[in-house]
């Protein structure tokens, strides 16, 4: 029997497979046959390929690059990320899993859905495909797109990011033109039991994100954003894989499974909070009194063993410290059933605020900025949005700064990857005058949090020399698993670590 052209490290069960089996991201069964395939069998597996990659393999390094995270005492797993380094070998896991598990399966689903005129499913698969491809552009700049999933071509060409973005918008528009709100959608985890109306809203939010990143790099995009904002058919709840994870090996939130669970026998702790994010969310005056505490702090990070919130400094693992052992640091607040967020209501509101700010409509910009903060607090399950707004009021003259810092805060506990993207695009938070070596004096073995200015980044103690001072790593190098076998892969020079995707130039 003919085999489907798909590769998967995610369970692709047959019709009798339970939903829980799809969550086992460590299982690698035999490829099912084309005769047995339906979109309802394949879509959950494709979703888990995207969720596992985006919610873990992209989230962890981005958390370090955005200075939400620093490194745990004495461990070495992610010290390179803490120093703003990404190697061609390291970048291969996310690239391979996204293409081979998520995108190849989504391609097959789209073909089956189109053949059977399942337009709701076609829209769902297209939206997830475009979401995944945008994330890859945002990592690498150029990616295989027009020839990327042709299994007969071992050396697909790499398309530049602007070309891919234009193609993604065209794909979304084409799928939206075919789907109606009442069209059924194949079995899926995101909106299981729902029809296409929520997928339409998700697709619109994705279009808004894509076009917002195109601003300044693509002509006439503002009129398209205006039409989308006027239509106002966006998600009213966070787009997230929530309520589907269980406390079983292979069925947990993928980030939790990787870094917090002991189900696989590991007790090593790698990730802690960064001084930058903690000291922006928890501010003191010169007398040592708390003058501001972001209500989301306790939702995003766990207190340390003394009940305090303390963040480490990028670029070291404090392995020689006698003062700052593992129990001293606070950790990201993660549970086995924590959601994997794709797009949040807060992000949509921030993008709309930014649109109105560019139109010099300060009143509308402020309204949506405040709504974004309120949505972030609601998503975190906390009250007190007005405290955040009072501490960080909207400022039309510096709208990129206030929106950039608030996005950085809002996404620190939910979507570190998008935060890294947005700080590269908006250029905020910017670098302050403090550096890692002044924030932690290794000779004294002493932290100097008083030198940190809230809402800023800093150069790590030991920074990757291809990135250097006052710069966040801008792009991942192309993975060696791809470049070693593809003669069309672009050359990645040392300078490209500082060369952002087209939307960040």
């Amino acid at each position: 029997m003919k085999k489907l052209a798909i590769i998967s490290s995610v369970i692709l069960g047959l019709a009798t497979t339970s939903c829980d089996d799809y969550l086992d991201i460590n299982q690698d069964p035999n490829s099912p046959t084309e005769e047995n395939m339906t979109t309802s069998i394949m879509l959950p597996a494709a979703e888990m390929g995207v969720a596992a990659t985006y919610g873990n393999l992209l989230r962890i390094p981005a958390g370090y690059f955005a200075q939400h995270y620093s490194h745990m005492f004495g461990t070495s797993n992610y010290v390179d990320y803490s120093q703003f380094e990404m190697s061609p070998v390291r970048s291969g896991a996310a690239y391979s899993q996204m293409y081979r598990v998520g995108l190849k399966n989504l391609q097959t689903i789209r073909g089956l859905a189109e053949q059977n005129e399942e337009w709701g499913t076609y829209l769902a698969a297209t939206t997830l495909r475009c979401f995944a491809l945008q994330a890859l552009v945002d990592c690498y700049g150029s990616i295989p797109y027009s020839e990327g999933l042709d299994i007969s071509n071992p050396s697909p060409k790499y398309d530049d990011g602007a070309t891919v973005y234009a193609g993604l918008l065209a794909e979304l528009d084409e799928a939206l033109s075919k789907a109606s709100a009442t069209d059924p959608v194949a079995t899926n985890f995101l909106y299981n039991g729902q029809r296409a109306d929520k997928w339409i809203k998700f697709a619109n939010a994705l279009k808004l994100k894509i076009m917002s990143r195109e601003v300044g790099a693509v002509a006439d995009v503002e009129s398209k954003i205006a039409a989308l904002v006027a239509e106002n058919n966006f998600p009213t709840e966070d787009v997230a894989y929530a309520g589907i994870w269980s406390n079983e090996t292979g069925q947990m939130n993928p980030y939790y499974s990787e870094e917090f669970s002991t189900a696989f026998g590991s007790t090593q702790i790698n990730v802690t909070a960064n001084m930058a994010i903690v000291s922006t969310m928890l501010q003191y005056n010169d007398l040592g009194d708390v003058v501001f505490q972001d209500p989301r702090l306790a939702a995003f990070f766990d207190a340390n063993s003394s009940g305090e919130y303390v963040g480490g400094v990028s670029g070291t693992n404090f392995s020689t410290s006698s003062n700052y052992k593992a129990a001293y640091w606070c950790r990201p607040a993660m549970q086995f059933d924590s959601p994997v967020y794709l797009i949040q209501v807060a992000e949509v509101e921030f993008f709309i605020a930014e649109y109105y700010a560019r139109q010099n409509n300060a009143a509308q910009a402020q309204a949506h900025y405040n709504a974004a903060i309120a949505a972030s607090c609601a998503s975190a399950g906390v009250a007190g949005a007005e405290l955040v707004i009072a501490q960080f009021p909207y400022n039309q003259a510096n709208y990129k700064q206030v929106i950039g810092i608030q996005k950085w805060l809002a996404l620190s506990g939910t979507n570190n990857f998008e935060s890294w993207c947005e700080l590269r695009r908006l250029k905020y938070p910017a670098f302050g005058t403090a550096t890692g070596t002044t924030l932690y004096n290794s000779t004294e073995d002493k932290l100097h949090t008083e030198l940190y200015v809230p809402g800023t980044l800093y150069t790590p103690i030991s920074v990757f020399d291809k990135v250097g001072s006052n710069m966040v790593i801008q792009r991942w190098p192309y993975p060696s698993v791809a470049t070693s076998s593809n003669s069309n892969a672009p050359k990645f020079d040392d300078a490209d670590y500082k060369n952002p995707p087209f939307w960040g130039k």
Side-chain angles (χ1 to χ4, degrees):
M1 292 185 292
K2 182 180 177 183
K3 296 288 184 178
L4 285 174
I6 56 176
I7 305 171
S8 178
S9 63
V10 181
I11 180 76
L12 290 180
L14 299 178
T16 57
T17 302
S18 71
C19 287
D20 285 347
D21 289 332
Y22 287 112
L23 291 172
D24 192 342
I25 61 174
N26 304 288
Q27 196 167 341
D28 187 9
N30 295 326
S31 296
T33 61
E34 186 172 17
E35 292 87 339
N36 291 328
M37 277 299 93
T38 67
T39 53
S40 284
I41 289 174
M42 296 193 67
L43 187 53
E47 289 180 282
M48 289 302 98
V50 173
T53 308
Y54 184 79
N56 181 33
L57 298 178
L58 297 186
R59 178 173 185 168
I60 291 174
Y64 285 99
F65 299 158
Q67 290 192 328
H68 294 150
Y69 300 158
S70 69
H71 212 63
M72 176 55 78
F73 175 88
T75 68
S76 59
N77 277 19
Y78 303 131
V79 171
D80 52 347
Y81 297 163
S82 182
Q83 297 169 350
F84 293 169
E85 179 177 359
M86 172 62 77
S87 72
V89 173
R90 286 278 231 176
S91 77
Y95 182 95
S96 296
Q97 182 159 283
M98 192 73 93
Y99 269 106
R100 295 181 180 180
V101 181
L103 289 167
K104 284 188 179 291
N105 292 340
L106 289 169
Q107 179 190 35
T108 303
I109 295 165
R110 276 169 30 102
L112 288 171
E114 185 173 33
Q115 176 183 321
N116 298 325
E117 297 186 353
E118 300 174 32
W119 299 123
T121 301
Y122 184 78
L123 171 64
T126 300
T127 303
L128 284 174
R129 164 185 160 84
C130 292
F131 180 89
L133 286 167
Q134 184 194 17
L136 291 175
V137 169
D138 296 344
C139 276
Y140 297 102
S142 299
I143 61 170
Y145 174 64
S146 57
E147 300 176 356
L149 296 172
D150 180 359
I151 62 171
S152 66
N153 182 2
S155 297
K157 71 175 183 178
Y158 279 59
D159 297 287
D160 67 88
T163 298
V164 179
Y165 262 45
L168 300 182
L169 288 172
E171 287 188 32
L172 288 167
D173 284 339
E174 185 257 355
L176 284 165
S177 72
K178 293 181 175 180
S180 299
T182 56
D183 285 343
V185 179
T187 300
N188 65 88
F189 282 117
L190 197 60
Y191 300 124
N192 195 24
Q194 302 291 332
R195 297 189 178 271
D197 58 332
K198 290 191 176 182
W199 286 96
I200 291 171
K201 295 177 187 292
F202 179 13
N204 285 336
L206 182 56
K207 286 180 61 179
L208 179 63
K209 182 173 74 164
I210 290 171
M211 289 191 290
S212 295
R213 291 198 180 142
E214 287 183 319
V215 169
V218 175
D220 299 328
V221 72
E222 289 286 22
S223 60
K224 296 178 182 178
I225 295 176
L228 196 60
V229 170
E231 183 183 357
N232 193 30
N233 191 20
F234 298 117
T236 55
E237 58 188 15
D238 293 340
V239 180
Y241 287 107
I244 67 169
W245 313 105
S246 65
N247 197 17
E248 300 290 337
T249 301
Q251 297 179 20
M252 307 169 186
N253 170 294
Y255 176 41
Y256 178 87
S257 180
E258 176 88 10
E259 289 301 317
F260 298 84
S261 172
T262 59
F264 297 102
S266 174
T267 58
Q268 180 165 304
I269 298 173
N270 301 295
V271 183
T272 66
N274 198 293
M275 179 190 291
I277 196 70
V278 172
S279 294
T280 302
M281 301 183 88
L282 181 61
Q283 298 178 25
Y284 297 85
N285 62 19
D286 292 339
L287 299 176
D289 300 320
V290 174
V291 294
F292 169 70
Q293 180 167 337
D294 193 307
R296 295 166 294 185
L297 178 61
F300 291 169
F301 297 96
D302 292 329
N304 67 9
S305 60
S306 299
E308 300 175 328
Y309 292 95
V310 183
V313 179
S314 297
T316 186
N317 62 359
F318 295 91
S319 59
T320 62
S321 174
S322 59
N323 292 325
Y324 306 114
K325 303 294 187 180
Y328 188 77
W329 310 113
C330 63
R331 300 260 286 142
M334 289 294 299
Q335 303 297 327
F336 72 87
D337 58 350
S338 294
V340 172
Y341 293 96
L342 301 185
I343 295 180
Q344 294 182 264
V345 173
E347 291 179 80
V348 173
E349 290 291 342
F350 278 128
F351 283 127
I352 296 173
E354 191 182 341
Y355 162 72
Y356 281 116
R358 292 193 301 269
Q359 307 308 308
N360 290 317
N361 188 334
Q364 283 288 353
Q366 180 176 3
H368 285 279
Y369 172 84
N370 292 350
I373 295 173
S376 173
C377 289
S379 180
V382 300
E386 67 280 358
L387 300 175
V388 182
I389 293 168
Q391 184 71 15
F392 301 96
Y394 181 74
N395 185 325
Q396 175 65 20
N398 297 301
Y399 73 87
K400 287 187 178 181
Q401 180 180 20
V402 294
I403 291 175
I405 290 174
Q406 269 310 305
K407 276 196 168 184
W408 178 65
L409 292 172
L411 296 170
S412 63
T414 58
N415 198 326
N416 312 92
F417 180 77
E418 294 303 327
S419 183
W420 176 56
C421 293
E422 288 298 279
L423 70 84
R424 286 180 292 155
R425 181 179 71 90
L426 293 170
K427 316 304 181 191
Y428 290 100
F431 280 79
T433 56
T435 66
T437 53
T438 59
L439 294 174
Y440 173 63
N441 186 314
S442 59
T443 302
E444 298 177 347
D445 191 19
K446 184 177 180 181
L447 290 172
H448 288 280
T449 55
E450 75 280 1
L451 299 178
Y452 173 76
V453 176
T456 61
L457 304 177
Y458 59 89
T459 300
I461 292 173
S462 177
V463 66
F464 184 42
D465 62 354
K466 305 301 188 299
V467 174
S469 299
N470 297 325
M471 170 72 73
V472 170
I473 182 172
Q474 297 293 302
R475 279 169 57 198
W476 291 16
Y478 301 115
S480 53
V481 294
T483 58
S484 62
S485 60
N486 186 348
S487 58
N488 287 321
K491 183 179 180 182
F492 190 91
D493 295 320
D494 288 348
D496 287 325
Y497 287 102
K498 297 182 179 182
N499 184 19
F502 76 100
W503 44 253
K505 298 184 186 295

